[in-house]
Amino acid sequence: MANDDLNDLLDRFDSRSKKANESASTEMSDEEIFLAEFEKARESSIRPTLMGLGNQIKGRGHDYAFREAQFQSPRGSRTQPDEAYIRMQIYLSNEPKPEAGDDDRRCYIMFKTNHKKKMVEMVTSDLTATGGETTKEGEAMVNQLTKMFVQEKFVNLFRRLSKKIT
């Protein structure tokens, strides 16, 4: 009798455990799909649009550089993942030449994943020698990251920068 009870309990445990693992696998695959969609948007829409805009400002004496990273799951003592992103650093012609380590004190536009929400966060910074601020511009779904959308965010950043010049 005790063996039958134990077997029933083990069967229920195995069944519940299998269901929990299946739902976790589904959630992971949703995240993987989202991250793959972001990578595709980064390659086909975001980077080419930003490069075109960067070349346009380069023609006026400014410069730019890109920093990118892939999503990395939590590992070792790091309990939080590193989100995927693309960041365009902008070096204005009226600012001192960039030095190592001063990227966080420069203006930029960044598109960064939030894998839990399955959204892309847009962050802009209008930091210059005269000050400024870093602002989260909002969130968007990957399918909203069109050429026009990226251009609009970039132009809004330059609008903020142009107001600082007197």
Side-chain angles (χ1 to χ4, degrees):
M1 189 77 162
N3 277 344
D4 291 338
D5 289 340
L6 180 58
N7 282 332
D8 287 344
L9 289 171
L10 288 171
D11 288 343
R12 277 191 252 152
F13 176 84
D14 290 343
S15 174
R16 287 180 181 162
S17 178
K18 184 177 178 181
K19 286 179 186 175
N21 287 338
E22 286 173 0
S23 68
S25 296
T26 303
E27 186 175 326
M28 281 301 290
S29 73
D30 287 348
E31 288 176 1
E32 290 171 356
I33 290 169
F34 164 73
L35 293 168
E37 288 173 347
F38 175 77
E39 293 302 321
K40 183 178 176 187
R42 181 165 68 176
E43 296 297 321
S44 65
S45 178
I46 301 170
R47 186 184 304 116
T49 302
L50 289 177
M51 285 184 81
L53 294 164
N55 289 334
Q56 191 174 346
I57 65 168
K58 204 170 192 175
R60 299 286 185 102
H62 309 292
D63 205 356
Y64 68 95
F66 285 103
R67 289 197 329 201
E68 300 180 54
Q70 306 285 33
F71 178 85
Q72 290 189 345
S73 298
R75 61 210 175 279
S77 63
R78 294 187 59 106
T79 58
Q80 296 297 314
D82 294 330
E83 296 288 348
Y85 70 89
I86 180 168
R87 175 175 163 157
M88 180 185 195
Q89 202 73 34
I90 302 168
Y91 305 106
L92 300 172
S93 61
N94 64 340
E95 292 283 311
K97 295 289 181 200
E99 296 178 17
D102 75 346
D103 277 354
D104 288 336
R105 296 185 306 270
R106 299 288 181 152
C107 48
Y108 65 86
I109 182 169
M110 178 170 60
F111 296 85
K112 179 180 177 180
T113 61
N114 182 326
H115 77 286
K116 291 290 186 194
K117 291 171 129 181
K118 296 176 188 62
M119 298 291 280
V120 178
E121 300 172 352
M122 286 82 55
V123 179
T124 59
S125 172
D126 64 2
L127 288 171
T128 63
T130 60
E133 62 185 14
T134 300
T135 309
K136 181 178 172 184
E137 296 288 324
E139 298 174 333
M141 295 184 299
V142 174
N143 63 359
Q144 293 175 301
L145 301 175
T146 63
K147 179 180 180 178
M148 186 179 294
F149 183 86
V150 173
Q151 285 175 335
E152 179 184 311
K153 296 298 179 188
F154 186 87
V155 169
N156 286 342
L157 172 59
F158 248 84
R159 188 173 290 122
R160 284 174 34 200
L161 290 168
S162 68
K163 289 179 182 177
K164 296 173 82 172
I165 299 173
T166 54

